[in-house]
Amino acid sequence: KYTADPGAMVHDGKVYIYAGHDECPPPKEHYQLNEWCVFSSPDMKTWTEHPVPLKAKDFSWAKGEAWASQVIERDGKFYWYVTVEHGTIHGKSIGVAVSDSPVGPFKDAIGKPLHDGSWDYIDPTVFIDDDGRAYLYWGNPNIYYAELNDDMISLKGEVGKLEQTVESFGAPNPEKRVKDVKYKDTYTEGPWLHKREGKYYLLYAAGGVPEHIAYSMSDGPLGPWKYMGEIMPLQDTGSFTNHCGVIDYKGNSYFFYHTGKLPGGGGFGRSAAVEQFKNNADGTF
Ligand code: FUB
């Protein structure tokens, strides 16, 4: 089974991985993701797959395409932010599903998109800060952000678009990039927002395709961001995309990503992978 875009979550002593089910249909030239999967582990070694907790078509307004997603817990409920293809509005949309259990079943929380209207509305990452305020980031190749209301199923205020600069993300905004100029880096997609010891980290797939993983740091959840370099340089993963996430679990830190390395896999048959890591003493990767 191929598992793309792993989004990991720690809850009640267990690690959960939520991933799109890459069906990798011959001739292996396009994505086919109809549903997401969930796996749990009590030790990062043994994994249990649970029944399919959510399908793209569980969102009645969606046409399909179970693209990248992330789950978070708040007040005993589990909120799953997903990318799907809208049924009538051209492009991708962000939906939110809810469950009382980390393994589901999940159901559409609002019966409509949380945000819709553009091809680049993909790959939501969600984060709850220590003060209880919750944030979403998403986008390819723009980086959008919004604060969530406490209900976790509606947006507070306007959606913002981050100004990308060489200093913040390695290159200017996509529309300002000059052809043939070699920038330090270029944000592409798949953001992952988290906090460690007072510092905020935005990790993301970068460099266009094939993608590597890079990151920016900040002193606040909404920036200003500072480009910090690559975490996972380009290498032979067998997949032209990559999609990362980070968790701390039982005293260790783990970096999730995907490759095309399972037999028969590739760019449309990706598999979740993980490395244990330690941050440097100054908090950098
Ligand atoms: O899985 C479909 C898309 O490929 C994701 O939304 C992106 O992050 C990339 O991994």
Side-chain angles (χ1 to χ4, degrees):
K1 187 167 217 170
Y2 302 114
T3 50
D5 307 317
M9 179 187 75
V10 176
H11 178 72
D12 210 9
K14 283 190 177 173
V15 178
Y16 295 86
I17 310 243
Y18 303 86
H21 177 195
D22 248 352
E23 292 176 23
C24 199
K28 304 182 180 177
E29 283 171 354
H30 63 89
Y31 289 129
Q32 188 167 305
L33 296 107
N34 293 311
E35 62 191 16
W36 293 273
C37 321
V38 57
F39 304 83
S40 67
S41 173
D43 56 11
M44 288 295 292
K45 289 179 187 153
T46 47
W47 293 91
T48 302
E49 181 172 9
H50 302 271
V52 168
L54 187 65
K55 298 183 176 191
K57 287 198 175 153
D58 289 343
F59 297 93
S60 59
W61 46 269
K63 196 156 57 177
E65 310 276 13
W67 282 25
S69 68
Q70 189 181 345
V71 178
I72 201 164
E73 184 267 344
R74 178 163 214 161
D75 299 331
K77 287 198 183 296
F78 298 84
Y79 297 91
W80 195 340
Y81 301 86
V82 304
T83 313
V84 285
E85 180 89 15
H86 198 287
T88 54
I89 301 170
H90 186 63
K92 294 284 188 286
S93 299
I94 294 172
V96 56
V98 66
S99 175
D100 294 327
S101 159
V103 296
F106 283 78
K107 64 174 195 322
D108 186 354
I110 51 178
K112 60 181 183 180
L114 182 61
H115 196 61
D116 62 30
S118 171
W119 144 250
D120 67 351
Y121 292 164
I122 70 170
D123 296 359
T125 179
V126 60
F127 165 73
I128 303 175
D129 210 343
D130 302 329
D131 62 3
R133 293 171 73 175
Y135 303 89
L136 272 188
Y137 272 76
W138 69 94
N140 166 349
N142 291 299
I143 310 171
Y144 300 97
Y145 63 91
E147 192 170 344
L148 285 159
N149 286 313
D150 291 347
D151 63 11
M152 298 297 275
I153 56 170
S154 58
L155 301 183
K156 186 187 253 178
E158 294 297 304
V159 167
K161 184 162 104 175
L162 285 188
E163 181 71 20
Q164 297 181 45
T165 62
V166 173
E167 294 70 34
S168 58
F169 292 96
N173 273 351
E175 73 279 5
K176 292 187 186 157
R177 291 178 201 158
V178 180
K179 198 169 168 270
D180 297 329
V181 169
K182 175 97 185 82
Y183 292 108
K184 266 205 280 190
D185 215 333
T186 46
Y187 168 90
T188 305
E189 61 181 358
W192 181 272
L193 181 63
H194 72 284
K195 184 181 187 181
R196 181 194 298 269
E197 295 180 0
K199 297 283 182 205
Y200 296 77
Y201 297 80
L202 196 61
L203 277 55
Y204 42 89
V209 287
E211 295 173 340
H212 57 265
I213 303 291
Y215 77 116
S216 301
M217 283 177 74
S218 172
D219 292 326
L222 295 175
W225 294 98
K226 181 168 184 252
Y227 175 73
M228 298 299 294
E230 295 186 7
I231 296 174
M232 181 175 175
L234 210 52
Q235 54 200 278
D236 175 25
T237 61
S239 167
F240 57 92
T241 63
N242 203 341
H243 195 103
C244 70
V246 160
I247 56 162
D248 292 319
Y249 179 62
K250 295 189 175 170
N252 294 316
S253 298
Y254 297 93
F255 174 86
F256 288 86
Y257 58 104
H258 67 214
T259 78
K261 288 293 191 184
L262 273 191
F268 302 105
R270 300 159 294 176
S271 303
V274 62
E275 310 292 333
Q276 193 176 329
F277 74 96
K278 282 191 171 70
N279 282 98
N280 299 317
D282 64 359
T284 57
F285 276 85

